[in-house]
Amino acid sequence: MRALITGITGQDGSYLAELLLSKGYEVWGVVRRSSSENFERIQHIRDRVKLFEADLLDQTSLTRAVEAAKPDEVYNLAAQSFVPTSFVQPVLTAEFTGIGVARLLEAIRSGAPKAKFYQASSSEMFGKVWETPQTEKTPFYPRSPYGVAKVYGHYMTVNYRESYGMFAVSGILFNHESPRRGLEFVTRKITDGVAKIKLGLAKELRLGNLEAKRDWGFAGDYVRAMWMMLQQSKPNDYVVATGKTHTVREFCKIAFGSVGLNYKDHVVLDPVFLRPAEVDQLTGCPKRAEKELGWKPEVSFSEMVEMMVEADLKRLQPQKSKIVSLPKSLESRKTT
């Protein structure tokens, strides 16, 4: 089996590549051309995957990638996925996260029409929710340019499935985190901040809305659901979630508590981190995925948080040893 993954250097792409390799797949990854390589997340499997330069903004390069890989399965995990950035760069987000899906679907339709296609849809499509929990039938009400772009990509996937008979599915994934999450995301910002404070590299952590609720799971569990969707006899869309919600405040409490600290002593509320339009609560109903795919999350919320803190402590430990303290002879002068 051959699989082509866009976004292979990201959090989900790296975990998915590992999973597929463990199942004997030949894995191809689409990477963007840049002045510096960013293969940190896949460095340990770099010699086992084949990388092809292409871009979701460029139809020709995507077509060439599909023709070169000749995939049995295509996983589209590439996107401009940081919600705050989507407010600053809405048009670019639409191009990458929305229209990029249409370009890739066209590339598959012409170059590998029998390939099965997975689209990474998002819980952000629900936005200002109509019902709780959210299911595959819950209407979308996106509250960010990112969410709007994801809705476009989702319905393009449905359209190509119904119009051309392609095996094309969308996984409506709720928030999923890991030690490989980007530092710009709130969960990783928290665990990185906790590690810095514990190691004496920082004193405070500035955050926005602590009461925002999310359904958080472990990324390693969620990529398993992606693969399961493409092993079905018929294409269907699935909500992938834990069915449980936690506030940002709870996340902070567990993260700081795991290193013996009280978050109240270090977290500072900063309005600059509030979204123009907030999504207050997202809770997914994974019953369909559990029943039809046989999927269930294996890593609990607290285990995930503690795993992330531990990884950041390990990563930042070398920086602590670089801190040079003042000699005692100069320490006395410091106070005079």
Side-chain angles (χ1 to χ4, degrees):
M1 293 288 287
R2 284 188 178 188
L4 178 65
I5 304 172
T6 69
I8 193 171
T9 60
Q11 170 188 253
D12 292 5
S14 63
Y15 279 113
L16 178 61
E18 286 177 352
L19 175 68
L20 296 180
L21 287 171
S22 73
K23 295 182 179 297
Y25 278 65
E26 180 178 310
V27 177
W28 288 62
V30 169
V31 295
R32 297 180 65 200
R33 179 75 176 93
S34 62
S35 57
S36 60
E37 292 186 345
N38 182 25
F39 298 156
E40 179 184 354
R41 295 185 182 94
I42 60 168
Q43 197 60 50
H44 61 297
I45 55 172
R46 177 67 181 82
D47 60 342
R48 300 174 60 196
V49 300
K50 298 182 179 182
L51 301 181
F52 193 97
E53 286 186 3
D55 198 309
L56 286 179
L57 300 182
D58 180 43
Q59 182 69 62
T60 302
S61 68
L62 290 176
T63 300
R64 288 175 177 169
V66 170
E67 290 174 346
K70 297 180 178 62
D72 298 292
E73 299 173 358
V74 179
Y75 297 84
N76 182 36
L77 309 185
Q80 190 304 99
S81 58
F82 190 46
V83 174
T85 296
S86 76
F87 284 101
V88 180
Q89 296 181 304
V91 177
L92 184 63
T93 299
E95 285 284 353
F96 269 119
T97 309
I99 300 176
V101 181
R103 294 191 184 100
L104 184 54
L105 283 165
E106 270 299 287
I108 296 168
R109 189 166 76 92
S110 63
K114 293 184 179 180
K116 293 182 177 181
F117 174 73
Y118 171 85
Q119 163 61 12
S121 287
S122 169
S123 59
E124 288 285 337
M125 300 189 303
F126 294 120
K128 190 174 182 180
V129 299
W130 290 58
E131 62 182 5
T132 300
Q134 294 88 54
T135 72
E136 292 81 2
K137 295 183 179 181
T138 301
F140 299 137
Y141 194 148
R143 294 271 283 170
S144 68
Y146 168 74
V148 172
K150 279 293 186 182
V151 169
Y152 175 90
H154 179 87
Y155 278 125
M156 285 302 290
T157 302
V158 172
N159 187 263
Y160 271 67
R161 178 170 71 217
E162 297 179 350
S163 300
Y164 304 114
M166 292 174 61
F167 192 110
V169 305
S170 288
I172 307 174
L173 270 58
F174 280 64
N175 293 62
H176 47 288
E177 320 298 321
S178 77
R180 300 179 192 176
R181 189 58 140 157
L183 287 167
E184 68 273 21
F185 291 88
V186 67
T187 52
R188 185 71 192 289
K189 180 180 178 181
I190 292 170
T191 61
D192 176 72
V194 168
K196 286 179 178 177
I197 292 170
K198 180 63 177 179
L199 295 173
L201 300 174
K203 293 184 178 180
E204 65 178 27
L205 174 62
R206 306 185 79 84
L207 297 172
N209 183 11
L210 296 185
E211 305 313 320
K213 294 182 178 180
R214 294 292 185 272
D215 184 331
W216 275 302
F218 174 56
D221 285 337
Y222 285 37
V223 300
R224 185 162 37 86
M226 298 177 189
W227 175 77
M228 286 178 166
M229 289 179 210
L230 296 195
Q231 310 317 306
Q232 303 306 299
S233 58
K234 295 181 180 179
N236 278 308
D237 303 326
Y238 295 90
V239 163
V240 180
T242 69
K244 301 175 183 178
T245 55
H246 303 274
T247 62
V248 175
R249 186 182 299 278
E250 287 178 79
F251 197 109
C252 287
K253 185 176 181 179
I254 293 174
F256 277 94
S258 69
V259 294
L261 298 175
N262 187 331
Y263 79 94
K264 294 180 180 180
D265 298 330
H266 304 282
V267 172
V268 177
L269 301 184
D270 191 335
V272 75
F273 295 114
L274 296 176
R275 292 185 184 183
E278 182 59 270
V279 175
D280 294 316
Q281 179 171 351
L282 292 172
T283 310
C285 176
K287 289 184 179 179
R288 184 176 184 180
E290 292 175 354
K291 180 180 179 180
E292 296 182 15
L293 302 179
W295 176 86
K296 281 189 177 182
E298 297 177 354
V299 178
S300 71
F301 175 68
S302 59
E303 288 173 337
M304 179 192 70
V305 176
E306 291 169 2
M307 176 198 308
M308 293 173 68
V309 172
E310 183 178 351
D312 279 323
L313 281 170
K314 183 177 180 180
R315 178 179 59 87
L316 292 169
Q317 184 64 44
Q319 291 188 26
K320 181 182 179 181
S321 62
K322 293 180 181 179
I323 298 177
V324 180
S325 57
L326 287 171
K328 289 185 179 181
S329 59
L330 295 179
E331 191 67 37
S332 59
R333 299 182 190 179
K334 182 181 175 182
T335 59
T336 60

